[in-house]
Amino acid sequence: MKRLIRTKGLWLAAGSILLLMFLFVRTYMKTIVGIPSPEFEPVRRFYWWMIVFGCGFLAAFAFLLWIREAVFPWLYPIVVIGLGFFYLFALTPFSAPDEAAHFVSAYRLSSQLMGKPAVADEAFLKHASIQEQERIKKGANVLVRSGDDVPGLYKEPGQRTYNRVLTELFSVDHSQSVTVREEIPVNTTPVVYLPQAAGITLARLMHLGYIPLVYSGRLMNLLAFAAMAAVSVRLMPFKKEVLMAVSCLPMTLHLAASYSYDAAFIGLSMLLLSWCFHLAYEKEKIRGKDLLVLTLLLVLLEPGKIVYLPAAGICLLIPKSKFQSRRHYWISLFCVLTVTLLSVFLVNHLILSAWAGATESYVGWSEAAGYNLSDVWQRPFQVFTVYYETLVTQYDYYLVTMLGGFLGNLDPNLTVPPVCLTLLWYALFISVIKRKGEEVLMTDGQKLWILFVVFTSSVLVLTSMFLGWTPRDLTYITGVQGRYFIPLLPLLLLTIYDRRLVIGADLRKSAWYLECFVSIYALIRICSTSCLRY
């Protein structure tokens, strides 16, 4: 049986690689006609090497899975980092959602770590140019090296962007002056920008140029996410494959290989999930250091994204019997809850106060009036209708953009095809379904509690955009993307893990391979599209 599965796996790998070669190698000469040479000759070579390395990655992955039969915990972080490198270069800097704003936020933290001026002050304003003054009036204030504020990186990857990245990847910068970038930074807990800031700091200390500086921050974010995901998988007492499948989704890797702070929130949410499940199902007795780690994870996760605050409810899965006494349990619960809520309030008290006291709301992007909390109390039926219309009209959009549809800045041309999205759902399903011989430790009551936690967090995700981004003339909530639900996806999937739903064959390797194949195929497809853009 084992030999049969290995043979089928190798045939699957061979077929997928041949398919890639048929789709892209066969049409290579037709594609590069649209890439001017010699002006963009590096882009031609880049596209060719994407195909070669993509096929090589799948071949090496198949060898490790079915020939060497490498263990998952060892192979998993290597796969995440390997796929992440493809996303780093196929989807160029600032092509991820809000990446430019995250970049200046990380740059500001980098300057603070280095003890250098991070934002424009009165002394800078005295010598600021007209353009810099205009940027400061609009809310921008982050100081960067003068060489780090130049055009050439765009929201949509194309020939010019690829060409600049490839030709300046090892450039240097010795500029002494500073300027203000036009992006407005994100004000949130700085911990979610530590990896990116570390990468930027390293590049500045080495006097690397703009392109290597940008990529250094992106790379550190990817490595930090891979580390958090690897620790989560190791801690998870059962169904480790669920975390592996979610962290290898195209959208997850796209965010991890960018400056987006969503990578930190996804990684922290997986750490919280695996730690809570480790305490609930593996740990014999709960000690003080266990609660300290739990509190730290909650303090790192919840203040930055208060919409995930209900997800802290999974802590209640930890049985009271694992504490020294019932009194110790209730004291621990009170202390953990108090510290978490206090941290949330300290970071978000200005926003919470504005929401609570607002009687009128204005949505800047549409220049129209928006909703506020008073509408919830005074017009509950109208608000319910808006939520209902959102569910009816946007549900499929959330599912698509959660997995990998509309990568880049929600670019419809840079997406994972529908048939590949089906393969991703297959991989997620196989990762969570019960196999023969496995013991289901979760009870139906615990699954109902998890569903309630996921539902409450999802409602808060919608509410945040309902109050801050939706004009009154729309009948549905706008601004919500599927990536906001990725931290909740592992919890939702685990509710499918049931003793009454069993599969006989072990399809984990083939499902994981197919998920990686989808990423490679989609990225080569995206690269072929972007290489033809000017």
Side-chain angles (χ1 to χ4, degrees):
M1 182 66 180
K2 189 175 181 180
R3 184 176 180 181
L4 178 63
I5 293 176
R6 177 190 298 179
T7 302
K8 289 183 176 180
L10 293 175
W11 276 112
L12 173 65
S16 63
I17 294 172
L18 288 174
L19 177 62
L20 285 180
M21 295 175 65
F22 174 78
L23 292 174
F24 298 109
V25 175
R26 187 180 68 86
T27 60
Y28 173 75
M29 295 305 298
K30 294 180 180 178
T31 302
I32 65 169
V33 170
I35 306 175
S37 183
E39 181 183 3
F40 294 116
E41 184 62 27
V43 181
R44 288 189 174 193
R45 294 197 297 267
F46 170 71
Y47 177 50
W48 170 253
W49 285 113
M50 278 289 294
I51 299 173
V52 172
F53 281 118
C55 294
F57 175 86
L58 291 177
F61 187 37
F63 173 79
L64 292 173
L65 276 181
W66 288 294
I67 302 298
R68 290 294 301 273
E69 297 185 341
V71 292
F72 281 9
W74 172 82
L75 184 59
Y76 166 66
I78 295 178
V79 171
V80 172
I81 295 172
L83 285 176
F85 266 93
F86 285 94
Y87 282 89
L88 277 173
F89 290 97
L91 292 160
T92 50
F94 308 147
S95 63
D98 305 319
E99 188 173 4
H102 295 306
F103 170 70
V104 295
S105 303
Y107 207 113
R108 178 179 60 183
L109 179 58
S110 169
S111 297
Q112 292 169 345
L113 294 174
M114 296 176 70
K116 294 187 176 183
V119 296
D121 54 13
E122 293 296 330
F124 179 84
L125 279 173
K126 293 179 181 178
H127 307 285
S129 65
I130 297 177
Q131 183 186 45
E132 290 170 337
Q133 293 175 9
E134 288 296 326
R135 290 179 174 181
I136 293 173
K137 288 179 181 178
K138 293 178 181 179
N141 63 355
V142 177
L143 294 177
V144 301
R145 299 180 309 185
S146 56
D148 296 333
D149 180 42
V150 290
L153 295 178
Y154 306 96
K155 291 184 177 181
E156 292 184 354
Q159 293 174 3
R160 292 175 296 172
T161 309
Y162 282 142
N163 195 63
R164 178 164 189 192
V165 166
L166 296 170
T167 55
E168 299 182 19
L169 191 57
F170 301 101
S171 61
V172 295
D173 185 293
H174 295 285
S175 60
Q176 300 298 321
S177 60
V178 295
T179 186
V180 175
R181 280 188 64 115
E182 63 179 350
E183 296 88 5
I184 301 174
V186 180
N187 294 316
T188 186
T189 171
V191 69
V192 296
Y193 291 118
L194 275 177
Q196 305 93 308
I200 293 174
T201 301
L202 179 63
R204 293 169 70 180
L205 291 174
M206 297 176 64
H207 298 286
L208 299 181
Y210 178 42
I211 299 300
L213 178 141
V214 173
Y215 268 95
S216 180
R218 281 181 134 211
L219 177 60
M220 291 299 290
N221 199 28
L222 172 63
L223 295 178
F225 173 78
M228 288 188 288
V231 173
S232 301
V233 169
R234 186 169 291 276
L235 284 173
M236 192 70 178
F238 54 85
K239 282 304 168 188
K240 301 174 183 287
E241 300 85 3
V242 175
L243 299 181
M244 293 167 61
V246 171
S247 56
C248 286
L249 288 173
M251 182 58 75
T252 306
L253 289 171
H254 176 38
L255 296 171
S258 72
Y259 275 88
S260 176
Y261 64 4
D262 287 324
F265 292 122
I266 295 171
L268 288 171
S269 67
M270 291 196 300
L271 279 173
L272 177 63
L273 166 63
S274 60
W275 185 247
C276 287
F277 275 54
H278 171 70
L279 297 181
Y281 299 103
E282 274 192 341
K283 195 79 173 180
E284 293 183 1
K285 289 294 182 182
I286 306 299
R287 307 297 181 187
K289 61 181 181 180
D290 301 323
L291 296 174
L292 184 63
V293 173
L294 178 61
T295 305
L296 178 62
L297 290 173
L298 288 170
V299 169
L300 291 176
L301 172 63
E302 303 301 351
K305 286 279 189 178
I306 58 177
V307 294
Y308 302 133
L309 187 58
I314 61 174
C315 300
L316 298 179
L317 297 178
I318 304 173
K320 299 177 183 177
S321 59
K322 294 196 173 188
F323 290 79
Q324 297 177 8
S325 63
R326 293 181 65 89
R327 180 173 176 270
H328 182 242
Y329 170 81
W330 289 111
I331 292 176
S332 300
L333 179 62
F334 174 78
C335 292
V336 171
L337 184 62
T338 301
V339 172
T340 302
L341 292 178
L342 181 61
S343 65
V344 170
F345 175 77
L346 291 176
V347 174
N348 300 279
H349 66 279
L350 294 178
I351 297 176
L352 295 174
S353 299
W355 277 4
T359 56
E360 295 182 357
S361 177
Y362 178 76
V363 181
W365 70 269
S366 67
E367 298 182 352
Y371 292 95
N372 52 60
L373 278 178
S374 62
D375 293 315
V376 178
W377 321 126
Q378 298 175 6
R379 306 177 182 86
F381 181 75
Q382 179 184 352
V383 172
F384 174 80
T385 303
V386 173
Y387 277 76
Y388 175 76
E389 286 293 325
T390 302
L391 180 64
V392 171
T393 60
Q394 304 297 305
Y395 179 72
D396 56 341
Y397 172 76
Y398 297 156
L399 292 181
V400 169
T401 54
M402 179 172 62
L403 299 188
F406 309 139
L407 297 176
N409 278 286
L410 300 178
D411 193 330
N413 296 315
L414 307 181
T415 188
V416 177
V419 64
C420 291
L421 292 175
T422 303
L423 292 178
L424 293 177
W425 280 118
Y426 166 78
L428 291 173
F429 178 75
I430 293 299
S431 71
V432 74
I433 193 171
K434 180 181 181 297
R435 300 187 309 277
K436 286 185 177 180
E438 288 184 333
E439 181 183 2
V440 179
L441 301 177
M442 297 173 62
T443 65
D444 291 340
Q446 290 173 330
K447 292 178 185 178
L448 287 175
W449 174 247
I450 289 175
L451 286 174
F452 173 77
V453 164
V454 171
F455 171 78
T456 310
S457 289
S458 300
V459 170
L460 284 182
V461 169
L462 294 174
T463 302
S464 66
M465 288 302 179
F466 172 73
L467 296 176
W469 200 256
T470 304
R472 288 179 178 270
D473 57 352
L474 285 183
T475 59
Y476 64 91
I477 300 172
T478 186
V480 180
Q481 301 167 28
R483 60 189 171 97
Y484 301 154
F485 301 103
I486 295 178
L488 305 174
L489 183 57
L491 278 171
L492 184 62
L493 289 171
L494 284 170
T495 60
I496 304 174
Y497 185 39
D498 193 90
R499 65 183 63 88
R500 289 155 291 195
L501 188 61
V502 185
I503 186 172
D506 188 352
L507 302 175
R508 291 178 296 171
K509 290 184 177 181
S510 61
W512 193 22
Y513 178 87
L514 283 175
E515 188 176 15
C516 295
F517 164 75
V518 167
S519 277
I520 296 297
Y521 165 73
L523 287 172
I524 298 176
R525 185 171 179 264
I526 286 170
C527 186
S528 65
T529 301
S530 300
C531 284
L532 297 178
R533 289 175 171 176
Y534 183 72

